[in-house]
Amino acid sequence: MEVRIADNAGFCFGVKRAMKIAWDELENKSENNIYSLGPLIHNKQAVDRYKEKGLVEMDNLEEIPSESKLIIRSHGVAEKVYTESKAKNMEIVDTTCPFVKKIHDIVKDFSHRGYKIIIVGNPNHPEIIGINGWCNNEAIVINKLEEIDDITFDPTQIYCVVSQTTANLESFDKIVQKLKTKINNLTVKNTICFATKERQISAIDLAREVDCMVVIGGKHSSNTQKLVNICKDLVPTFSIETKEELEKEKFAGFKVAGVTAGASTPDWIIEEVINYLKEI
Ligand code: SF4
């Protein structure tokens, strides 16, 4: 079978960079453990590889011994994680994506200048928790347009709105338009990163030129399932996490298969799938 791969598949720039930095640290590690706060990414196979290499995952900073090495994930952390780990003499390996770091800087700067911060995004996502931690966790977090109706805005206050990097541009614009009807002095910082959008556009382009699509990524990964739905509308689509889920007979009659992958899918899993498909 001929196999074509989407232009933007798998890890985005920020995740690729973070995973490489973390891997290099593990390659050169001494006998001491290296820690991360939570999983580096939401991909079990990839995370297992890092664990085998010596990465220890912890949920709280308090659990990590003083003077250890701590890897900060690509979606960043609150300012207090830096101060608390410094107080414990820990060595920080900061893999925060530069696009996320930019939001931390904006939020810190504007809150110091007296602005009330509004963050558009999912309040439970680690990226949002981290961003809020750069303005003393005092931001207003808005996930859905309707939530604005329940918020009382102070007419004497100046506000600055930022977005989660993976926010949908259309939803962000709608929220900003509604906020403008309620707030006199609103500074808008569109901090959306277009890696997700680019991945979706590449998937659509590829699905239009192949007989079927294989989308690799977690069944619970929202960006992967979004790719699955986009492709399904155009061609028969198979959603898998690893090559083991592929069933040869299901590809009978297809000559050209397209492959794309969610943001947490490492290259080696994509390559395994491509090689398997080529052999069909
Ligand atoms: S999606 Fe964008 S902001 Fe998030 S890690 Fe990737 S490149 Fe960075």
Side-chain angles (χ1 to χ4, degrees):
M1 180 144 61
E2 184 190 334
V3 183
R4 294 182 199 162
I5 179 152
D7 285 341
N8 297 287
F11 286 176
C12 57
F13 148 79
V15 172
K16 205 176 266 180
R17 172 182 170 275
M19 296 302 274
K20 168 143 186 17
I21 297 173
W23 190 260
D24 289 348
E25 285 295 333
L26 291 166
E27 290 252 269
N28 299 314
K29 104 184 213 334
S30 61
E31 69 279 5
N32 297 327
N33 285 333
I34 300 184
Y35 295 85
S36 73
L37 277 173
L40 284 183
I41 52 168
H42 293 116
N43 179 287
K44 193 185 169 310
Q45 294 80 13
V47 165
D48 284 349
R49 274 201 171 185
Y50 282 72
K51 281 187 186 165
E52 278 161 27
K53 195 93 182 149
L55 185 68
V56 181
E57 232 178 76
M58 290 287 189
D59 291 328
N60 301 303
L61 198 60
E62 300 80 63
E63 295 169 315
I64 304 176
S66 301
E67 298 179 10
S68 311
K69 196 178 261 196
L70 172 68
I71 296 178
I72 291 179
R73 304 182 289 183
S74 58
H75 31 230
V77 291
E79 189 173 21
K80 76 172 183 149
V81 174
Y82 291 90
T83 44
E84 286 174 6
S85 44
K86 205 171 170 190
K88 288 179 79 172
N89 278 329
M90 295 170 76
E91 186 187 336
I92 287 197
V93 178
D94 193 354
T95 76
T96 305
C97 175
F99 296 133
V100 177
K101 193 74 213 125
K102 191 177 132 200
I103 308 178
H104 294 171
D105 294 342
I106 292 171
V107 163
K108 185 172 178 169
D109 178 32
F110 277 76
S111 63
H112 278 179
R113 285 157 53 192
Y115 286 76
K116 178 86 178 164
I117 303 296
I118 301 172
I119 309 169
V120 175
N122 174 355
N124 301 317
H125 193 285
E127 181 188 310
I128 300 303
I129 295 168
I131 294 170
N132 202 358
W134 289 85
C135 58
N136 291 322
N137 297 311
E138 287 170 356
I140 299 170
V141 183
I142 300 172
N143 200 14
K144 294 198 177 103
L145 189 67
E146 314 79 80
E147 292 169 14
I148 298 176
D149 296 326
D150 300 327
I151 304 169
T152 309
F153 296 96
D154 177 354
T156 63
Q157 174 69 55
I158 46 177
Y159 290 86
C160 170
V161 58
V162 297
S163 54
Q164 186 169 349
T165 54
T166 49
N168 172 288
L169 180 59
E170 212 185 327
S171 313
F172 178 69
D173 280 344
K174 279 187 186 156
I175 288 174
V176 166
Q177 288 320 314
K178 191 157 179 176
L179 285 173
K180 281 184 176 168
T181 66
K182 309 235 170 201
I183 298 171
N184 298 328
N185 194 332
L186 178 69
T187 298
V188 180
K189 296 282 177 189
N190 176 349
T191 48
I192 294 174
C193 155
F194 287 94
T196 310
K197 194 79 198 161
E198 280 168 3
R199 196 180 301 107
Q200 291 170 0
I201 291 168
S202 311
I204 293 170
D205 289 347
L206 183 59
R208 287 200 173 117
E209 58 178 62
V210 296
D211 301 325
C212 65
M213 284 293 290
V214 175
V215 181
I216 318 163
K219 297 280 190 294
H220 302 291
S221 149
S222 62
N223 78 83
T224 303
Q225 293 315 310
K226 178 96 186 158
L227 289 174
V228 172
N229 291 333
I230 285 172
C231 295
K232 249 188 200 161
D233 286 343
L234 298 165
V235 280
T237 298
F238 304 92
S239 168
I240 58 162
E241 287 189 4
T242 62
K243 81 167 192 330
E244 280 68 34
E245 290 167 62
L246 289 170
E247 295 172 53
K248 258 184 194 168
E249 49 290 357
K250 294 210 170 148
F251 291 87
F254 298 135
K255 285 190 176 133
V256 188
V259 173
T260 186
S264 302
T265 310
D267 286 351
W268 55 270
I269 292 188
I270 301 175
E271 268 164 40
E272 278 181 1
V273 170
I274 291 172
N275 291 339
Y276 181 90
L277 289 170
K278 278 182 178 167
E279 282 170 19
I280 295 180

